[in-house]
């Protein structure tokens, strides 16, 4: 191929990097190459560069068709998130898509990796689309509280039909190259040499009459009741972006192209400036940064192929299953043969359930089971890369486990405790090789919950800390580093949240009203419903243990209930009463009587005020955590609460919600 010209990388002072857009020719076919790592995002410079390249190639009489390709691991996978909080800059993406579609020469999108959002919209502006077999296609804007903003709801149904366009635009779920080909979204699946195959496709296409551009293709008539059914089937994401996507698709099916494009863009821009999309983008960016902290970029983690788990209860079995599902070899250690058998059965139940739900293939199940061994002999762990302790939350029991591990495991084995409340420094105090100890706080069920709190000890080596984050990546979790304090980040805030909810009860606010307020805010359950489901006795036993150790722990309303035998759903009596065989909470006159002496006020609050007050309580504790250095950033706290405690994602987490209300950037103190 001959190099023709390149478009400069705007605002980039590193002259040794390749241009954003370069053009080579293969005979009469031009190949445009976009190089904008890591995901070929449609930044201001990319959009301007594409307009420039279209204009240049239109004027080049030696070029008959154009192939658009991308360097790196993916085709264009969306917009540049850094620009979303700034006013839109020209050229706007809809204009870029339209300019490609109306080019004098037909463009062919050569797609590898993912064509998502604006990337798919650009591809649909091309006359043809070809893709490698592993490519994926999607309109994920809805997951950010948006709808497509550059013709996604207008052009997609003209290629795929309305049913698939609805699914893509309202769920954000991608489709495969095979699905895309069958639906008409792409024109061919290529071999490994994508660009060469795309050039060949272009050359063959020039020998036939060209099909109409995407925007000129007709939409099939829709039956009566179609849109009512579409609205009724919308996914429950907690916000109204899916509904806006439906309305934009409906508008596109009923109005002229120009009006439909204008309506879509207006809706997109209105949603982009709204609180919901701002919160969802905040969480998205925090999630993207969490697994690979910049401070550990140059640190090489230790291996994670061979893992040991101590304890086969609910938590240990979940941890073992998560590791098996990620491809690790696992040894489970339990105290006796009966416990070994029970632990193995719990793990098998998890893996079998994954097969039933289609999350694991039968071959994958066989591989995972073959990678699992169980025993009572700690010596079997001597060659493990990582051992995770998940036994009863008792300091003496955990210390005994780590004393044994220190004797049988070599110094290169990372030793981790899954404690949720105990001080990990006390668990491993005076044991040899303190650099290899770390806290890895999983959330139950560990094979499902995304959060992983990583707790370095004062002597934890940087490579061991990096290994904790590497484990998070391997298990597809959201890892967050936390300092040492009671409850770390998540449980410390939870404790304060529950205490303040109880305080509102003592002021006269009804328990069901508090729960309803937090459900209205976006939580699946209020604080009292959640305690009933998990069991009031768990926190009660922790408080009793602290009291036995000489700590001054105030009596709580929950203590009164537990001492009266009300432990939650498992006893059909907690903050609420429960009918036999049902989990539906019923307001309890017994609770009213038990707590009558503690209720000293008659305060009245709206549900909005209750939710605002309790979220402010969470963020206030978060501010204290930041000040103490327990958390590294407000975004880390938000990730913990969203992924570990059910804080509504579309509200961004307590720190984001409170700081936005106060006009403070969540990154100012990061």
């Amino acid at each position: 191929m001959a190099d023709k010209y390149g478009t400069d990388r705007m605002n980039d002072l590193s002259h040794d990097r390749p241009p954003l857009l370069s053009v080579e020719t293969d005979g009469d076919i031009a190949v445009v190459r976009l190089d904008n790592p890591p995901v070929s995002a449609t930044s201001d410079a990319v959009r301007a560069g594409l307009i420039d390249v279209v204009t240049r190639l239109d004027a080049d009489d030696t070029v008959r068709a154009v192939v658009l390709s991308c360097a790196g691991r993916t085709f264009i996978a969306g917009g540049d998130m850094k620009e979303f909080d700034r006013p839109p800059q020209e050229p706007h993406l809809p204009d870029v898509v339209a300019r490609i579609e109306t080019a004098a020469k037909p463009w062919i999108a050569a797609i590898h990796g993912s064509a998502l959002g604006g990337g798919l919209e650009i591809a649909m502006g091309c006359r043809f689309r070809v893709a490698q077999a592993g490519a994926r296609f999607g309109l994920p804007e809805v997951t950010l509280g948006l709808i497509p903003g550059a013709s996604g709801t207008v052009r997609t149904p003209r290629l795929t039909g309305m049913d698939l366009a609805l699914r893509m635009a309202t769920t954000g779920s991608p489709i495969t190259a095979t699905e895309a080909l069958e639906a008409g979204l792409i024109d061919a699946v290529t071999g490994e040499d994508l660009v060469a195959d795309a050039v060949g496709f272009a050359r063959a296409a020039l020998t036939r009459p060209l099909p109409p551009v995407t925007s000129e293709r007709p939409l099939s008539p829709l039956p009566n009741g179609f849109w009512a059914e579409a609205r009724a089937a919308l996914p429950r994401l907690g916000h109204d972006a899916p509904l806006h996507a439906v309305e934009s698709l409906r508008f596109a099916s009923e109005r002229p192209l120009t009006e439909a494009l204008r309506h879509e863009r207006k809706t997109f821009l209105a949603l982009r400036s709204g609180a919901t999309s701002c919160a969802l983008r905040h969480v998205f960016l925090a999630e993207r940064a969490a697994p690979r902290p910049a401070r550990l970029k140059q640190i090489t983690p230790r291996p994670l192929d061979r893992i040991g788990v101590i304890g086969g209860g609910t938590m240990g079995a979940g941890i073992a299953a998560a590791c098996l599902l990620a491809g690790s070899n696992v040894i489970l250690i339990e105290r006796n043969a009966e416990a070994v058998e029970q632990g193995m059965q719990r793990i098998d139940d998890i893996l079998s359930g994954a097969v039933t739900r289609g999350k694991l293939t039968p071959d994958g199940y066989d591989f995972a089971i073959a990678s699992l061994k169980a025993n009572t002999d700690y010596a079997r762990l001597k060659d493990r890369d990582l051992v995770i302790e998940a036994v009863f939350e008792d300091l003496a029991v955990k210390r005994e486990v780590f004393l044994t591990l220190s004797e049988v495991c070599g110094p290169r084995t990372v030793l981790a405790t899954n404690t949720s409340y105990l001080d990990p420094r006390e668990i491993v105090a005076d044991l040899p090789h303190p650099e290899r100890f770390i806290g890895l706080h999983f959330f139950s069920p560990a094979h499902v919950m995304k959060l992983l709190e990583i707790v370095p000890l004062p002597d934890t080596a940087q490579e061991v800390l990096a290994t904790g984050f590497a484990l998070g990546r391997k298990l597809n979790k959201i890892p967050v580093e936390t300092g040492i304090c009671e409850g770390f980040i998540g449980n410390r805030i939870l404790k304060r949240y529950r205490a303040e909810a109880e305080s509102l009860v003592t002021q006269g606010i009804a328990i069901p009203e508090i729960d309803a307020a937090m459900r209205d805010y976006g939580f699946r359950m209020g604080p009292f419903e959640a305690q009933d489901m998990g069991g009031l006795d768990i926190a009660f036993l922790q408080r009793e243990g602290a009291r036995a150790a000489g700590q001054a722990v105030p009596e709580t309303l929950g203590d009164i209930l537990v001492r009266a035998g009300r432990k939650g759903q498992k006893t059909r009596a907690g903050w609420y009463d429960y009918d036999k065989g049902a989990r539906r909470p019923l307001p309890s006159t017994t609770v009213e009587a038990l707590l009558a002496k503690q209720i000293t006020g008659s305060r009245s609050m709206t549900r909005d005020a209750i939710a605002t007050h309790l979220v402010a309580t969470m963020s206030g504790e978060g501010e204290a955590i930041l000040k103490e250095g327990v958390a590294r950033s407000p975004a880390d706290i938000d990730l913990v609460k969203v992924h570990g405690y059910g804080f509504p994602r579309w509200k961004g987490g307590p720190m984001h919600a409170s700081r936005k209300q106060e006009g403070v950037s969540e990154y100012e103190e990061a």
Side-chain angles (χ1 to χ4, degrees):
M1 289 188 179
D3 182 26
K4 288 182 73 72
Y5 48 78
T7 298
D8 291 340
R9 185 176 293 274
M10 299 181 182
N11 301 319
D12 190 340
L13 302 179
S14 58
H15 300 293
D16 58 339
R17 294 191 66 183
L20 274 173
L21 288 152
S22 60
V23 181
E24 296 180 336
T25 54
D26 185 335
D28 55 359
I29 309 297
V31 177
V32 177
R33 182 176 183 268
L34 171 61
D35 188 0
N36 188 33
V39 294
S40 303
T42 57
S43 63
D44 297 346
V46 167
R47 299 194 304 274
L50 283 170
I51 292 284
D52 180 61
V53 167
V54 174
T55 302
R56 293 190 193 187
L57 292 177
D58 272 1
D60 191 335
D61 293 337
T62 67
V63 172
R64 297 182 62 214
V66 182
V67 169
L68 174 61
S69 67
C70 293
R73 59 186 173 88
T74 186
F75 190 74
I76 302 167
D80 188 338
M81 295 288 289
K82 297 189 295 294
E83 297 178 359
F84 274 46
D85 290 321
R86 306 201 306 259
Q89 300 294 312
E90 294 184 346
H92 305 306
L93 188 57
D95 300 327
V96 176
V97 176
R99 183 68 184 88
I100 291 173
E101 187 177 69
T102 59
K105 323 291 172 68
W107 280 53
I108 298 91
I111 300 164
H112 73 292
S114 298
L116 303 176
L120 180 55
E121 289 168 318
I122 286 176
M124 290 190 293
C126 296
R127 190 68 66 102
F128 301 100
R129 289 150 295 284
V130 300
Q132 288 183 333
R136 300 188 312 154
F137 306 81
L139 296 169
E141 290 88 350
V142 68
T143 63
L144 296 177
L146 302 168
I147 68 167
S151 79
T153 62
V154 179
R155 286 186 170 90
T156 307
R158 286 172 160 79
L159 292 170
T160 68
M162 191 59 76
D163 286 333
L164 182 56
L166 263 170
R167 174 157 65 92
M168 294 175 69
T170 60
T171 69
S173 300
I175 63 173
T176 66
T178 299
E179 293 175 287
L181 182 64
E182 291 175 352
L185 185 61
I186 63 175
D187 300 285
V189 174
T190 72
E192 288 298 314
D193 197 340
L194 171 64
V195 172
D197 287 351
V199 169
F201 180 95
R203 193 157 281 130
L206 291 171
T207 67
R208 303 183 296 269
L210 295 175
V213 297
T214 303
S215 63
E216 293 178 357
R217 301 188 186 193
L219 279 172
S220 301
L222 297 169
N224 293 333
F226 179 87
W227 296 109
E229 291 178 8
R231 286 188 288 269
L234 284 176
R236 297 180 180 179
L237 299 183
H239 53 84
D240 59 2
L243 178 60
H244 285 292
V246 169
E247 291 307 307
S248 190
L249 286 161
R250 181 192 61 79
F251 199 95
S253 72
E254 298 173 353
R255 303 295 182 89
L257 177 75
T258 302
E259 288 185 34
L261 290 171
R262 188 182 303 119
H263 176 271
E264 178 194 71
R265 187 66 177 176
K266 181 180 179 181
T267 303
F268 168 81
L269 292 175
L271 291 173
R272 193 178 83 159
S273 63
T276 295
S277 181
C278 180
L280 288 167
R281 297 198 305 268
H282 163 69
V283 174
F284 172 82
L285 291 171
E287 288 170 338
R288 191 165 68 177
R292 300 181 185 275
R295 64 189 180 282
L296 297 175
K297 187 176 181 180
Q298 305 303 322
I299 307 297
T300 301
R302 295 185 184 182
L304 284 168
D305 298 321
R306 301 167 302 173
I307 294 177
V309 177
I310 312 294
T314 300
M315 180 60 76
I319 293 171
C323 295
L324 289 166
L325 290 168
S328 290
N329 178 282
V330 175
I331 292 179
L332 176 71
I333 298 295
E334 259 292 2
R335 62 189 182 278
N336 56 45
E338 181 182 1
V340 165
E341 183 177 350
Q342 292 171 346
M344 290 287 281
Q345 185 60 56
R346 290 187 186 99
I347 295 169
D348 186 81
D349 289 345
I350 293 170
L351 298 177
S352 299
V355 174
T356 301
R357 293 189 303 275
K359 302 294 185 181
L360 184 67
T361 65
D363 286 346
Y365 168 85
D366 291 340
F367 179 84
I369 289 296
S371 301
L372 173 65
K373 298 291 185 293
N375 210 284
T376 60
D377 185 3
Y378 277 69
R380 298 296 183 94
L381 301 173
K382 64 180 180 180
D383 63 348
R384 297 284 95 179
D385 299 317
L386 166 69
V387 177
I388 304 169
E389 164 272 311
V391 302
F392 186 68
E393 193 79 350
D394 180 272
L395 179 60
V397 174
K398 289 182 182 287
R399 273 195 61 82
E400 183 179 354
V401 167
F402 277 91
L403 177 61
T404 304
L405 289 174
S406 295
E407 293 171 349
V408 302
C409 295
R412 295 295 297 172
T413 299
V414 176
L415 301 181
T417 175
N418 181 56
T419 183
S420 56
Y421 274 99
L422 297 175
D423 188 333
R425 295 169 297 191
E426 296 181 11
I427 295 173
V428 301
D430 303 320
L431 295 180
H433 301 292
E435 74 283 350
R436 62 172 172 173
F437 296 118
I438 193 168
L440 295 175
H441 180 206
F442 289 80
F443 285 69
S444 185
H447 59 288
V448 175
M449 295 292 285
K450 298 279 286 185
L451 180 63
L452 175 63
E453 283 186 320
I454 298 178
V455 192
L457 281 63
D459 295 317
T460 300
Q462 286 293 95
E463 67 173 20
V464 171
L465 179 58
T467 303
F469 279 93
L471 179 68
R473 294 193 297 272
K474 183 169 184 173
L475 302 186
N476 194 31
K477 295 192 179 295
I478 301 295
V480 175
E481 182 178 341
T482 171
I484 297 173
C485 66
E486 183 185 2
F488 308 124
I489 294 173
N491 281 338
R492 173 170 163 177
I493 294 176
L494 177 65
K495 180 180 178 180
R496 183 70 190 89
Y497 166 57
R498 288 178 170 176
E500 190 60 26
E502 288 193 13
S503 176
L504 291 180
V505 173
T506 66
Q507 297 170 49
I509 308 297
I511 291 169
E513 193 67 8
I514 295 171
D515 281 338
M518 300 317 289
R519 289 196 307 272
D520 288 352
Y521 186 80
F523 284 83
R524 290 184 64 187
M525 290 181 286
F528 301 106
E529 295 168 310
Q531 288 180 71
D532 272 2
M533 185 184 73
L536 276 69
D537 53 323
I538 297 174
F540 170 77
L541 291 173
Q542 290 166 347
R543 291 190 293 270
E544 287 289 88
R547 290 165 184 146
Q551 297 180 32
V553 179
E555 184 87 351
T556 71
L557 302 186
D559 292 340
I560 296 172
L561 300 189
V562 174
R563 291 195 175 100
R566 303 181 67 89
K567 299 179 182 180
Q569 289 182 8
K570 57 190 167 187
T571 59
R572 300 206 304 275
W575 295 100
Y576 296 91
D577 293 332
Y578 297 86
D579 288 336
K580 186 176 182 180
R583 293 185 175 183
R584 185 171 63 87
L586 301 171
S588 174
T589 55
T590 302
V591 170
E592 292 178 7
L594 286 170
L595 303 182
K597 292 182 180 179
Q598 281 69 36
I599 299 175
T600 58
S602 57
R603 187 175 181 181
S604 176
M605 295 177 72
T606 66
R607 289 183 180 179
D608 282 346
I610 292 169
T612 299
H613 178 78
L614 290 177
V615 170
T617 297
M618 292 185 228
S619 66
E621 192 66 21
E623 295 292 352
I625 285 171
L626 285 171
K627 186 175 181 180
E628 295 168 21
V630 172
R632 286 183 168 269
S633 72
D636 279 354
I637 296 173
D638 286 336
L639 286 179
V640 168
K641 301 312 291 184
V642 166
H643 285 287
Y645 298 85
F647 198 98
R649 181 184 184 88
W650 60 96
K651 295 296 177 68
M655 307 307 291
H656 175 88
S658 295
R659 287 174 171 228
K660 278 296 179 183
Q661 189 171 7
E662 297 168 5
V664 179
S665 168
E666 60 268 28
Y667 295 106
E668 284 181 2
E669 297 177 21

